[in-house]
Amino acid sequence: MPKVDRVEPSKHVRGRFLVFLDSGALIKVGEQELLDFGLRPGLELEGETLRRLIASSEDTSARERAARMIGARPLSRAELVDKLVAKGEGRPQAERAADWLEELGALNDGEYAKTVVRHYDGRGYGPQKLREELYRRKIPRDCWAEAMAEARPEEEAAADYLASRRAADASDPRSFQRQANALRRRGFSWQAIRTVMGNGPAGEGGWD
């Protein structure tokens, strides 16, 4: 039966402790495990206790890492779980860490979706780009509709973007086309583009 050889505070992570077993194994635990399991030199860890200690320490590791990640920048739940797994956490532990943050209110896909939409709308992007960003960030589709309601009407956003740029030369089909294409690349529909720009230089057959 393994025994605790010594317990030392981590030099790198505050609130973490290193539990060295006489078998040579090392378990990294938090303050809660230290108290819950009464970890101290000489303590014998029978099979079930050792299993529970390891499981608890894995959950603590995932929670600590998840808190650091979400503190650095907003993430969707799926993004967070994937990043935790990529860093070496088990997927079950990553999912439980995400559950924990959701319970605390620190992880909220619906609010994150609104933040993403407001950000890209404010930078002059259209609905298609907004939806692409929601998809790229792995935000559930049932959050999309409410988030998209945060954006300005498409034609208003397109007109505002045009107003921030040098006006297209109405007599130059190529200038007109370039500006129309720029709007399209930013995620605006051709219908909205036609509305804010008209049908293009006269006699040129339009720009689409």
Side-chain angles (χ1 to χ4, degrees), residues 49-79:
T49 300
L50 181 59
R51 186 197 66 76
R52 289 191 295 106
L53 174 60
I54 292 173
S56 181
S57 68
E58 288 174 346
D59 279 343
T60 295
S61 172
R63 288 197 300 269
E64 289 177 349
R65 180 167 273 153
R68 289 195 298 272
M69 286 181 174
I70 207 72
R73 70 179 184 88
L75 296 166
S76 69
R77 179 191 172 98
E79 283 180 311

mmCIF file of all heavy atoms in Angstrom, residues 49-79:
data_model
loop_
_atom_site.group_PDB
_atom_site.id
_atom_site.type_symbol
_atom_site.label_atom_id
_atom_site.label_comp_id
_atom_site.label_asym_id
_atom_site.label_seq_id
_atom_site.Cartn_x
_atom_site.Cartn_y
_atom_site.Cartn_z
ATOM 1 N N THR A 49 -9.084 4.905 -1.899
ATOM 2 C CA THR A 49 -8.739 6.268 -1.509
ATOM 3 C C THR A 49 -7.783 6.891 -2.521
ATOM 4 O O THR A 49 -7.945 8.050 -2.921
ATOM 5 C CB THR A 49 -8.092 6.284 -0.116
ATOM 6 O OG1 THR A 49 -9.014 5.741 0.840
ATOM 7 C CG2 THR A 49 -7.728 7.709 0.289
ATOM 8 N N LEU A 50 -6.810 6.107 -2.959
ATOM 9 C CA LEU A 50 -5.848 6.597 -3.948
ATOM 10 C C LEU A 50 -6.559 6.914 -5.266
ATOM 11 O O LEU A 50 -6.276 7.941 -5.901
ATOM 12 C CB LEU A 50 -4.749 5.555 -4.174
ATOM 13 C CG LEU A 50 -3.653 5.949 -5.178
ATOM 14 C CD1 LEU A 50 -2.947 7.213 -4.732
ATOM 15 C CD2 LEU A 50 -2.663 4.796 -5.339
ATOM 16 N N ARG A 51 -7.494 6.054 -5.648
ATOM 17 C CA ARG A 51 -8.239 6.294 -6.892
ATOM 18 C C ARG A 51 -9.036 7.585 -6.802
ATOM 19 O O ARG A 51 -9.042 8.395 -7.734
ATOM 20 C CB ARG A 51 -9.178 5.109 -7.164
ATOM 21 C CG ARG A 51 -9.905 5.201 -8.517
ATOM 22 C CD ARG A 51 -11.093 4.274 -8.571
ATOM 23 N NE ARG A 51 -12.134 4.663 -7.638
ATOM 24 C CZ ARG A 51 -12.962 5.680 -7.835
ATOM 25 N NH1 ARG A 51 -12.870 6.435 -8.921
ATOM 26 N NH2 ARG A 51 -13.885 5.972 -6.933
ATOM 27 N N ARG A 52 -9.717 7.806 -5.671
ATOM 28 C CA ARG A 52 -10.506 9.020 -5.505
ATOM 29 C C ARG A 52 -9.621 10.263 -5.456
ATOM 30 O O ARG A 52 -9.988 11.314 -5.974
ATOM 31 C CB ARG A 52 -11.356 8.924 -4.239
ATOM 32 C CG ARG A 52 -12.513 7.928 -4.327
ATOM 33 C CD ARG A 52 -13.488 8.056 -3.173
ATOM 34 N NE ARG A 52 -12.898 7.725 -1.885
ATOM 35 C CZ ARG A 52 -12.564 8.603 -0.948
ATOM 36 N NH1 ARG A 52 -12.774 9.899 -1.150
ATOM 37 N NH2 ARG A 52 -12.044 8.196 0.199
ATOM 38 N N LEU A 53 -8.441 10.127 -4.833
ATOM 39 C CA LEU A 53 -7.519 11.261 -4.764
ATOM 40 C C LEU A 53 -7.038 11.647 -6.159
ATOM 41 O O LEU A 53 -7.017 12.841 -6.506
ATOM 42 C CB LEU A 53 -6.317 10.907 -3.882
ATOM 43 C CG LEU A 53 -5.189 11.947 -3.837
ATOM 44 C CD1 LEU A 53 -5.701 13.286 -3.296
ATOM 45 C CD2 LEU A 53 -4.022 11.431 -2.989
ATOM 46 N N ILE A 54 -6.687 10.669 -6.956
ATOM 47 C CA ILE A 54 -6.215 10.953 -8.316
ATOM 48 C C ILE A 54 -7.327 11.591 -9.145
ATOM 49 O O ILE A 54 -7.107 12.571 -9.859
ATOM 50 C CB ILE A 54 -5.690 9.667 -8.983
ATOM 51 C CG1 ILE A 54 -4.409 9.209 -8.279
ATOM 52 C CG2 ILE A 54 -5.439 9.899 -10.472
ATOM 53 C CD1 ILE A 54 -3.896 7.857 -8.738
ATOM 54 N N ALA A 55 -8.540 11.039 -9.032
ATOM 55 C CA ALA A 55 -9.677 11.588 -9.786
ATOM 56 C C ALA A 55 -9.954 13.029 -9.371
ATOM 57 O O ALA A 55 -10.205 13.902 -10.208
ATOM 58 C CB ALA A 55 -10.918 10.726 -9.571
ATOM 59 N N SER A 56 -9.904 13.291 -8.066
ATOM 60 C CA SER A 56 -10.159 14.636 -7.572
ATOM 61 C C SER A 56 -9.067 15.602 -8.039
ATOM 62 O O SER A 56 -9.351 16.742 -8.431
ATOM 63 C CB SER A 56 -10.229 14.633 -6.046
ATOM 64 O OG SER A 56 -10.500 15.913 -5.540
ATOM 65 N N SER A 57 -7.812 15.140 -8.029
ATOM 66 C CA SER A 57 -6.716 16.011 -8.447
ATOM 67 C C SER A 57 -6.809 16.320 -9.935
ATOM 68 O O SER A 57 -6.470 17.433 -10.367
ATOM 69 C CB SER A 57 -5.359 15.357 -8.137
ATOM 70 O OG SER A 57 -5.128 14.216 -8.952
ATOM 71 N N GLU A 58 -7.287 15.366 -10.728
ATOM 72 C CA GLU A 58 -7.465 15.612 -12.165
ATOM 73 C C GLU A 58 -8.560 16.651 -12.407
ATOM 74 O O GLU A 58 -8.430 17.527 -13.279
ATOM 75 C CB GLU A 58 -7.800 14.297 -12.876
ATOM 76 C CG GLU A 58 -6.611 13.346 -12.965
ATOM 77 C CD GLU A 58 -6.989 11.988 -13.540
ATOM 78 O OE1 GLU A 58 -8.210 11.693 -13.612
ATOM 79 O OE2 GLU A 58 -6.081 11.226 -13.912
ATOM 80 N N ASP A 59 -9.634 16.565 -11.644
ATOM 81 C CA ASP A 59 -10.705 17.562 -11.771
ATOM 82 C C ASP A 59 -10.211 18.954 -11.360
ATOM 83 O O ASP A 59 -10.543 19.962 -11.998
ATOM 84 C CB ASP A 59 -11.901 17.169 -10.910
ATOM 85 C CG ASP A 59 -12.780 16.126 -11.585
ATOM 86 O OD1 ASP A 59 -12.672 15.947 -12.810
ATOM 87 O OD2 ASP A 59 -13.581 15.483 -10.881
ATOM 88 N N THR A 60 -9.417 18.999 -10.292
ATOM 89 C CA THR A 60 -8.878 20.276 -9.839
ATOM 90 C C THR A 60 -7.969 20.895 -10.887
ATOM 91 O O THR A 60 -8.031 22.097 -11.170
ATOM 92 C CB THR A 60 -8.103 20.102 -8.521
ATOM 93 O OG1 THR A 60 -9.020 19.700 -7.490
ATOM 94 C CG2 THR A 60 -7.419 21.388 -8.097
ATOM 95 N N SER A 61 -7.118 20.065 -11.484
ATOM 96 C CA SER A 61 -6.222 20.543 -12.538
ATOM 97 C C SER A 61 -7.008 21.137 -13.699
ATOM 98 O O SER A 61 -6.683 22.233 -14.197
ATOM 99 C CB SER A 61 -5.342 19.397 -13.039
ATOM 100 O OG SER A 61 -4.590 19.792 -14.175
ATOM 101 N N ALA A 62 -8.052 20.442 -14.118
ATOM 102 C CA ALA A 62 -8.870 20.917 -15.243
ATOM 103 C C ALA A 62 -9.581 22.213 -14.877
ATOM 104 O O ALA A 62 -9.657 23.142 -15.691
ATOM 105 C CB ALA A 62 -9.876 19.848 -15.654
ATOM 106 N N ARG A 63 -10.110 22.316 -13.665
ATOM 107 C CA ARG A 63 -10.800 23.536 -13.243
ATOM 108 C C ARG A 63 -9.836 24.719 -13.189
ATOM 109 O O ARG A 63 -10.170 25.822 -13.632
ATOM 110 C CB ARG A 63 -11.474 23.339 -11.882
ATOM 111 C CG ARG A 63 -12.704 22.453 -11.907
ATOM 112 C CD ARG A 63 -13.536 22.646 -10.651
ATOM 113 N NE ARG A 63 -12.791 22.313 -9.454
ATOM 114 C CZ ARG A 63 -12.759 21.116 -8.883
ATOM 115 N NH1 ARG A 63 -13.443 20.109 -9.440
ATOM 116 N NH2 ARG A 63 -12.066 20.897 -7.785
ATOM 117 N N GLU A 64 -8.659 24.495 -12.628
ATOM 118 C CA GLU A 64 -7.683 25.583 -12.531
ATOM 119 C C GLU A 64 -7.274 26.079 -13.918
ATOM 120 O O GLU A 64 -7.199 27.280 -14.163
ATOM 121 C CB GLU A 64 -6.453 25.111 -11.754
ATOM 122 C CG GLU A 64 -6.700 24.907 -10.269
ATOM 123 C CD GLU A 64 -5.481 24.359 -9.551
ATOM 124 O OE1 GLU A 64 -4.516 23.933 -10.238
ATOM 125 O OE2 GLU A 64 -5.483 24.341 -8.312
ATOM 126 N N ARG A 65 -7.004 25.139 -14.814
ATOM 127 C CA ARG A 65 -6.598 25.520 -16.165
ATOM 128 C C ARG A 65 -7.751 26.211 -16.900
ATOM 129 O O ARG A 65 -7.537 27.186 -17.622
ATOM 130 C CB ARG A 65 -6.120 24.292 -16.925
ATOM 131 C CG ARG A 65 -5.663 24.575 -18.348
ATOM 132 C CD ARG A 65 -4.920 23.390 -18.931
ATOM 133 N NE ARG A 65 -3.514 23.433 -18.601
ATOM 134 C CZ ARG A 65 -2.735 22.365 -18.507
ATOM 135 N NH1 ARG A 65 -3.243 21.145 -18.673
ATOM 136 N NH2 ARG A 65 -1.447 22.478 -18.242
ATOM 137 N N ALA A 66 -8.956 25.697 -16.726
ATOM 138 C CA ALA A 66 -10.126 26.303 -17.375
ATOM 139 C C ALA A 66 -10.331 27.732 -16.887
ATOM 140 O O ALA A 66 -10.632 28.631 -17.678
ATOM 141 C CB ALA A 66 -11.372 25.468 -17.097
ATOM 142 N N ALA A 67 -10.167 27.954 -15.585
ATOM 143 C CA ALA A 67 -10.338 29.301 -15.029
ATOM 144 C C ALA A 67 -9.296 30.256 -15.602
ATOM 145 O O ALA A 67 -9.609 31.418 -15.903
ATOM 146 C CB ALA A 67 -10.243 29.256 -13.505
ATOM 147 N N ARG A 68 -8.079 29.778 -15.765
ATOM 148 C CA ARG A 68 -7.032 30.637 -16.341
ATOM 149 C C ARG A 68 -7.358 30.974 -17.798
ATOM 150 O O ARG A 68 -7.181 32.115 -18.248
ATOM 151 C CB ARG A 68 -5.665 29.958 -16.255
ATOM 152 C CG ARG A 68 -5.097 29.857 -14.845
ATOM 153 C CD ARG A 68 -3.632 29.519 -14.859
ATOM 154 N NE ARG A 68 -3.346 28.236 -15.467
ATOM 155 C CZ ARG A 68 -3.340 27.068 -14.817
ATOM 156 N NH1 ARG A 68 -3.619 27.047 -13.520
ATOM 157 N NH2 ARG A 68 -3.052 25.942 -15.438
ATOM 158 N N MET A 69 -7.825 29.975 -18.537
ATOM 159 C CA MET A 69 -8.140 30.199 -19.954
ATOM 160 C C MET A 69 -9.276 31.196 -20.123
ATOM 161 O O MET A 69 -9.190 32.128 -20.928
ATOM 162 C CB MET A 69 -8.516 28.864 -20.615
ATOM 163 C CG MET A 69 -7.357 27.939 -20.875
ATOM 164 S SD MET A 69 -7.906 26.395 -21.675
ATOM 165 C CE MET A 69 -6.320 25.617 -22.022
ATOM 166 N N ILE A 70 -10.345 31.011 -19.357
ATOM 167 C CA ILE A 70 -11.504 31.873 -19.523
ATOM 168 C C ILE A 70 -11.215 33.267 -18.959
ATOM 169 O O ILE A 70 -11.833 34.255 -19.348
ATOM 170 C CB ILE A 70 -12.755 31.247 -18.842
ATOM 171 C CG1 ILE A 70 -14.037 31.721 -19.537
ATOM 172 C CG2 ILE A 70 -12.792 31.544 -17.364
ATOM 173 C CD1 ILE A 70 -14.263 31.149 -20.886
ATOM 174 N N GLY A 71 -10.242 33.338 -18.042
ATOM 175 C CA GLY A 71 -9.839 34.632 -17.519
ATOM 176 C C GLY A 71 -9.002 35.419 -18.509
ATOM 177 O O GLY A 71 -8.960 36.644 -18.470
ATOM 178 N N ALA A 72 -8.309 34.699 -19.404
ATOM 179 C CA ALA A 72 -7.457 35.355 -20.394
ATOM 180 C C ALA A 72 -8.272 35.950 -21.524
ATOM 181 O O ALA A 72 -7.984 37.051 -21.999
ATOM 182 C CB ALA A 72 -6.434 34.366 -20.941
ATOM 183 N N ARG A 73 -9.296 35.230 -21.981
ATOM 184 C CA ARG A 73 -10.174 35.760 -23.029
ATOM 185 C C ARG A 73 -11.449 34.933 -23.079
ATOM 186 O O ARG A 73 -11.447 33.752 -22.706
ATOM 187 C CB ARG A 73 -9.487 35.755 -24.387
ATOM 188 C CG ARG A 73 -9.243 34.389 -25.005
ATOM 189 C CD ARG A 73 -8.575 34.544 -26.357
ATOM 190 N NE ARG A 73 -8.383 33.291 -27.056
ATOM 191 C CZ ARG A 73 -9.287 32.743 -27.866
ATOM 192 N NH1 ARG A 73 -10.465 33.334 -28.052
ATOM 193 N NH2 ARG A 73 -9.038 31.595 -28.479
ATOM 194 N N PRO A 74 -12.549 35.517 -23.539
ATOM 195 C CA PRO A 74 -13.812 34.777 -23.606
ATOM 196 C C PRO A 74 -13.703 33.599 -24.567
ATOM 197 O O PRO A 74 -13.008 33.662 -25.581
ATOM 198 C CB PRO A 74 -14.810 35.819 -24.126
ATOM 199 C CG PRO A 74 -14.183 37.139 -23.834
ATOM 200 C CD PRO A 74 -12.712 36.928 -23.963
ATOM 201 N N LEU A 75 -14.404 32.530 -24.239
ATOM 202 C CA LEU A 75 -14.431 31.327 -25.072
ATOM 203 C C LEU A 75 -15.829 30.735 -25.017
ATOM 204 O O LEU A 75 -16.567 30.925 -24.044
ATOM 205 C CB LEU A 75 -13.431 30.279 -24.566
ATOM 206 C CG LEU A 75 -11.941 30.616 -24.612
ATOM 207 C CD1 LEU A 75 -11.164 29.609 -23.772
ATOM 208 C CD2 LEU A 75 -11.435 30.617 -26.043
ATOM 209 N N SER A 76 -16.176 29.997 -26.053
ATOM 210 C CA SER A 76 -17.403 29.205 -25.980
ATOM 211 C C SER A 76 -17.098 27.936 -25.181
ATOM 212 O O SER A 76 -15.930 27.583 -24.967
ATOM 213 C CB SER A 76 -17.887 28.821 -27.385
ATOM 214 O OG SER A 76 -16.999 27.887 -27.985
ATOM 215 N N ARG A 77 -18.138 27.252 -24.764
ATOM 216 C CA ARG A 77 -17.923 26.016 -24.010
ATOM 217 C C ARG A 77 -17.131 25.013 -24.847
ATOM 218 O O ARG A 77 -16.176 24.399 -24.353
ATOM 219 C CB ARG A 77 -19.275 25.409 -23.622
ATOM 220 C CG ARG A 77 -19.125 24.099 -22.846
ATOM 221 C CD ARG A 77 -20.419 23.337 -22.680
ATOM 222 N NE ARG A 77 -20.151 22.030 -22.097
ATOM 223 C CZ ARG A 77 -20.271 21.732 -20.819
ATOM 224 N NH1 ARG A 77 -20.686 22.637 -19.959
ATOM 225 N NH2 ARG A 77 -19.979 20.506 -20.382
ATOM 226 N N ALA A 78 -17.505 24.845 -26.108
ATOM 227 C CA ALA A 78 -16.817 23.870 -26.962
ATOM 228 C C ALA A 78 -15.361 24.254 -27.173
ATOM 229 O O ALA A 78 -14.477 23.378 -27.178
ATOM 230 C CB ALA A 78 -17.535 23.742 -28.302
ATOM 231 N N GLU A 79 -15.095 25.545 -27.369
ATOM 232 C CA GLU A 79 -13.708 25.989 -27.511
ATOM 233 C C GLU A 79 -12.911 25.662 -26.253
ATOM 234 O O GLU A 79 -11.770 25.171 -26.330
ATOM 235 C CB GLU A 79 -13.652 27.494 -27.750
ATOM 236 C CG GLU A 79 -14.000 27.961 -29.140
ATOM 237 C CD GLU A 79 -13.904 29.467 -29.264
ATOM 238 O OE1 GLU A 79 -14.461 30.183 -28.404
ATOM 239 O OE2 GLU A 79 -13.270 29.927 -30.223
#
